[in-house]
Amino acid sequence: MLSYKNGSLYLLLVLMAFSSCNEKQETVEKKPNIIYIMSDDHTTQGFGIYGSRLAGLNPTPVLDQIAKEGMIFENCFVHNAICTPSRAAIMTGQNSQANGVLDLEGILPIEKQYLPQEMKKLGYQTAIVGKWHLHEEPASFDYYHVLPGQGKYFNPEFRVQGEKPWPKNVVKTTGHSSDMIMDATLDYLKNNRDPNKPFFLMHHFKAPHDDFENAPRYDDYLADTFIPEPESLYDNGNNGSVAMRGKNDSLTRIIGSSVSHRNLIRNQAMNIYTKDSTIYRKYREAKDIRPEEYVKWEMSPEEKDYTSKVYQDYIKKYLRCVKGVDDNVKRLLDYLETEGLLENTIIVYTGDQGFMLGEHDYIDKRWMYDESMRMPFFVRYPKSIQAGSRTDAIINNTDFAPTLIELAGGETPDYMQGKSFKRILETGEEPADWQKETYYRYWMHMAHKHQNPAHFGIRTKDYKLIFFYGRYWVDTDDPNAEWNKDSWGNDFTNHTPPAWEFYDLKNDPKEMNNAYDDPAYQETISNLKDRLVKLRENLNETDANYPHIQKVIDAHWED
């Protein structure tokens, strides 16, 4: 029989053991914080880690270090390279027809703001800071501090929660947007989060979206440096098709905004589209001018010299905005480390799509060409992701939400079309049954004065097949058709020629040779068409609701 003294000692030992077990259990069950950082139009060419022609400039030392401490994805792709649809896909884990956001006018109502809703179910406090661009109030987040629409580079205003209804609660700031957005994020972390809950924070920079405006402290950055230029800026080889070049190159003067003077509607020399341009005025006053009347574009020696000067200005402004992003991410890392939060925080970095930095003499995005379609993506979390790891597994932006949810301890909801790649992150291995292709669709036919024809296609690790169907998603020949001409309308052309493009990415990674008519690839192309049909059906991305488009597809599928 134990004495009182011995009994007290036994009880003390039991309590200590129980306390130790609880501490271990709390340690095991403590969820990681998650910070999802996304910049606007930050393309893979604008990093060191992706080995582009700009890598030697060391444009992103901070971001490169984060990437090297985790896993880098080589084959991450957007499903639609334009801001609003990309963000909707990330928020919903769904493609455009499933979530209803096809273009820049699309909205994401509260009931479809799935990602923060799922994270809250898992016990996370949720917040979004910076660019939102999905029009409706981001009310599914516990906290928001977001730009109205695209927002301004300097002295941006933010929409916040408050006594007034959305969007009337406004906070005004003084400074550059990259700095102001990071200030807001740090304020949230310091003063607004619940320290007893894990947090899920989406931090969205406006930069480096065009038209590029850097903070003044970067005005001298790269000022005396000649920036490497893409060869295709001056010679586009056999890239493209009649769909976007026109018969005898008759459409090259109006399709695809350019660095050079090639595009008469929008080129970087104009910097912004002006209604005083001769071609616009002619179209407004007399709509009978036909593309075949344009003088064929040629890159003369004088034009090449001019284009180089314009390009150097263009790319330096872009990289100065990138520099501001990189430096501000350093501020975030310093705070996390000082507060002891870095070790238990998953850091994700990406862009909302890629961006053309002069490749093929294009600016902006929208295209299915890799510079536009490919997204930077890397994740740092030393507890479960091996430093220095890379993967060429194919992922796309509908896969982000499922992965973030599973990293937070949840399961992918059935309504999401994307797949979680958590296993790839944690093992470094691509499962045998992982997706072998990704789907792309750009809906905004000949819109926004960038003049890109509508198209869809399939990309694998080795090949790319694109079909330009050359029609609006609504039937503009129907007098009763309703569509938003603020985002879509123009007076230049309603329809463009349908055509196919095929690229062998292993032998032609810069997509300089459309090999669709090459007899050596016909079996490969036929296989890709079959896979494309199945992919569209599986994703409910067919044109069953758009018979005028399906008619074109049927008529030209075997061309």
Side-chain angles (χ1 to χ4, degrees), residues 236-306:
N236 202 18
N238 190 39
N239 169 269
S241 62
V242 69
M244 31 74 71
R245 297 179 69 142
K247 186 177 181 180
N248 298 321
D249 282 354
S250 59
L251 292 178
T252 58
R253 305 308 307 275
I254 63 170
I255 285 184
S257 49
S258 60
V259 178
S260 72
H261 281 119
R262 174 186 57 76
N263 190 301
L264 295 167
I265 311 304
R266 183 167 183 161
N267 61 63
Q268 188 57 25
M270 299 175 183
N271 194 28
I272 60 172
Y273 175 72
T274 67
K275 292 187 177 181
D276 293 329
S277 67
T278 301
I279 193 68
Y280 182 90
R281 190 165 60 252
K282 286 182 178 178
Y283 264 105
R284 295 295 294 179
E285 295 173 358
K287 298 179 183 178
D288 58 347
I289 296 178
R290 299 180 180 277
E292 53 265 30
E293 296 179 29
Y294 299 143
V295 176
K296 185 175 180 179
W297 171 249
E298 292 183 2
M299 181 68 74
S300 66
E302 294 78 15
E303 178 65 27
K304 184 174 181 179
D305 181 64
Y306 170 84

Side-chain angles (χ1 to χ4, degrees), residues 68-285:
K68 291 172 183 176
E69 292 174 359
M71 176 173 282
I72 300 168
F73 285 77
E74 302 279 4
N75 284 325
C76 178
F77 302 104
V78 69
H79 84 298
N80 183 356
I82 195 71
C83 298
T84 305
S86 174
R87 292 164 191 271
I90 291 163
M91 293 295 298
T92 63
Q94 298 174 337
N95 286 276
S96 291
Q97 290 201 58
N99 63 40
V101 180
L102 279 63
D103 55 34
L104 290 176
E105 305 307 315
I107 64 171
L108 194 69
I110 294 172
E111 61 269 20
K112 289 189 176 182
Q113 295 170 17
Y114 299 135
L115 182 53
Q117 294 169 7
E118 296 295 337
M119 297 301 282
K120 284 198 283 189
K121 293 177 185 177
L122 297 170
Y124 278 77
Q125 187 179 33
T126 61
I128 184 167
V129 175
K131 183 173 175 178
W132 167 239
H133 215 216
L134 288 165
H135 308 301
E136 290 274 321
E137 179 183 12
S140 289
F141 289 89
D142 296 311
Y143 175 92
Y144 63 81
H145 190 105
V146 296
L147 297 170
Q150 182 60 43
K152 298 185 299 181
Y153 262 117
F154 285 98
N155 306 331
E157 296 181 350
F158 293 89
R159 302 292 182 257
V160 299
Q161 293 112 320
E163 295 180 357
K164 301 176 183 178
W166 163 271
K168 295 183 178 180
N169 298 293
V170 178
V171 171
K172 297 183 178 182
T173 65
T174 302
H176 189 270
S177 70
S178 295
D179 301 333
M180 299 299 98
I181 292 170
M182 186 54 73
D183 283 354
T185 278
L186 293 175
D187 179 69
Y188 165 76
L189 292 172
K190 294 174 183 177
N191 303 312
N192 292 285
R193 70 180 180 91
D194 182 349
N196 298 312
K197 284 186 174 183
F199 61 84
F200 171 63
L201 168 64
M202 302 189 84
H203 172 102
H204 294 176
F205 287 106
K206 168 184 169 62
H209 190 282
D210 72 350
D211 292 318
F212 318 126
E213 296 180 53
N214 57 272
R217 63 183 181 273
Y218 299 114
D219 284 348
D220 294 332
Y221 176 60
L222 299 173
D224 299 322
T225 302
F226 182 83
I227 310 299
E229 300 174 349
E231 293 180 9
S232 58
L233 175 61
Y234 304 108
D235 182 0
N236 202 18
N238 190 39
N239 169 269
S241 62
V242 69
M244 31 74 71
R245 297 179 69 142
K247 186 177 181 180
N248 298 321
D249 282 354
S250 59
L251 292 178
T252 58
R253 305 308 307 275
I254 63 170
I255 285 184
S257 49
S258 60
V259 178
S260 72
H261 281 119
R262 174 186 57 76
N263 190 301
L264 295 167
I265 311 304
R266 183 167 183 161
N267 61 63
Q268 188 57 25
M270 299 175 183
N271 194 28
I272 60 172
Y273 175 72
T274 67
K275 292 187 177 181
D276 293 329
S277 67
T278 301
I279 193 68
Y280 182 90
R281 190 165 60 252
K282 286 182 178 178
Y283 264 105
R284 295 295 294 179
E285 295 173 358

Side-chain angles (χ1 to χ4, degrees), residues 443 445 454 469-474 477 494-496 498 548-549 552:
W443 293 81
H445 178 67
Y469 56 89
R471 294 291 187 276
Y472 292 103
W473 68 278
V474 292
D477 294 330
N494 282 338
H495 304 317
T496 56
H548 64 292
I549 295 177
V552 175

Side-chain angles (χ1 to χ4, degrees), residues 487-546:
S487 179
W488 288 65
N490 62 63
D491 298 313
F492 308 114
T493 181
N494 282 338
H495 304 317
T496 56
W500 289 93
E501 295 181 20
F502 167 81
Y503 298 96
D504 179 345
L505 300 172
K506 279 201 168 182
N507 295 309
D508 180 28
K510 295 182 181 179
E511 297 169 292
M512 294 298 293
N513 179 39
N514 175 13
Y516 183 76
D517 293 326
D518 188 332
Y521 291 108
Q522 295 313 299
E523 184 176 348
T524 299
I525 291 171
S526 179
N527 175 262
L528 287 172
K529 285 185 178 181
D530 291 341
R531 292 166 68 175
L532 180 55
V533 169
K534 291 178 182 177
L535 195 56
R536 279 163 55 83
E537 290 175 350
N538 291 340
L539 295 175
N540 192 26
E541 280 286 328
T542 68
D543 283 276
N545 295 326
Y546 310 107

